[in-house]
Amino acid sequence: VVTATVLSVLLAFPPVAYAAPATVYVTYDITVDTTWSAGGTYVILKRPEGSTAYNPVIKPGVTLTIEPGAQVVFGTGQVTLGDDQYERADGLKVNGAIRALGTSDAPISFTSATSWDRIEIKQTSAANPVDAVFQNCVFEYGLTMLDIREGFVEGGSDVDVSVSGCTFQNPAELDNYRKGIAVYSDLGDRTTSR
């Protein structure tokens, strides 16, 4: 009789599966519209190219959307995945669009266990505008955490960047050099707001 009671309770309240947020190792350029999920951890690794490795690039015309609560991890050192050895990336290049849309309850974290350099936002051709939105994000342990470059492409337009509700904390330091956001402009008489 006790067994039947326990079984009926289990059937009335089926077990709930709790999935731990996934860790994704990003070893590739982003060449199609991509979403990084809420609660996931995205470890950025340098993409091997022959004998040199470089930070992953969001290609022109492509959008990376990062959902609330996601964590983006940069750094230094090596990571072994299967039989392959990767170097941790110290940044990400945005030549397309990035939409990091955190909330006050679930901010997006850009961080590192050691230190990292920058998210470089730069237009590479006049035909491909660059758009970046960062809402409710925490940037920490980086050197120049956001590096915005506009006007360096013949016939290009300005780079559209919006940063709101974000925190820049615990900046890395290199030879007494540290920033949070750097804006470089080659648009002549234009005024850039920071």
Side-chain angles (χ1 to χ4, degrees), residues 146-190:
L146 285 182
D147 182 334
I148 303 162
R149 297 171 183 260
E150 67 175 0
F152 294 94
V153 174
E154 181 79 26
S157 61
D158 57 331
V159 175
D160 189 12
V161 179
S162 171
V163 179
S164 64
C166 294
T167 303
F168 294 79
Q169 61 192 29
N170 304 315
E173 187 170 331
L174 175 65
D175 299 328
N176 292 324
Y177 170 84
R178 61 181 163 183
K179 298 180 182 178
I181 300 176
V183 179
Y184 303 95
S185 181
D186 192 29
L187 293 176
D189 61 355
R190 287 191 42 111

Side-chain angles (χ1 to χ4, degrees), residues 26 33 93 120 123:
V26 179
D33 290 348
K93 292 187 177 191
E120 181 181 293
Q123 186 176 17

Side-chain angles (χ1 to χ4, degrees), residues 102-145:
T103 65
S104 57
D105 293 334
I108 295 168
S109 173
F110 294 92
T111 190
S112 173
T114 55
S115 66
W116 60 287
D117 190 11
R118 70 189 72 209
I119 298 172
E120 181 181 293
I121 303 164
K122 181 179 177 182
Q123 186 176 17
T124 58
S125 80
N128 293 300
V130 175
D131 179 44
V133 178
F134 297 93
Q135 292 177 353
N136 297 303
C137 298
V138 176
F139 296 84
E140 58 185 354
Y141 307 116
L143 188 58
T144 304
M145 296 177 241

Side-chain angles (χ1 to χ4, degrees), residues 13 21 24 29 35 38 44 50 52 56 65 86-88 90-91 108 112 114 124 140 144 146 158 164 168 180 191:
F13 299 101
V24 176
D29 286 341
T35 299
I44 312 301
T52 60
T65 301
Y86 291 90
E87 187 177 337
R88 287 184 180 267
D90 62 356
I108 295 168
S112 173
T114 55
T124 58
E140 58 185 354
T144 304
L146 285 182
D158 57 331
S164 64
F168 294 79
T191 301

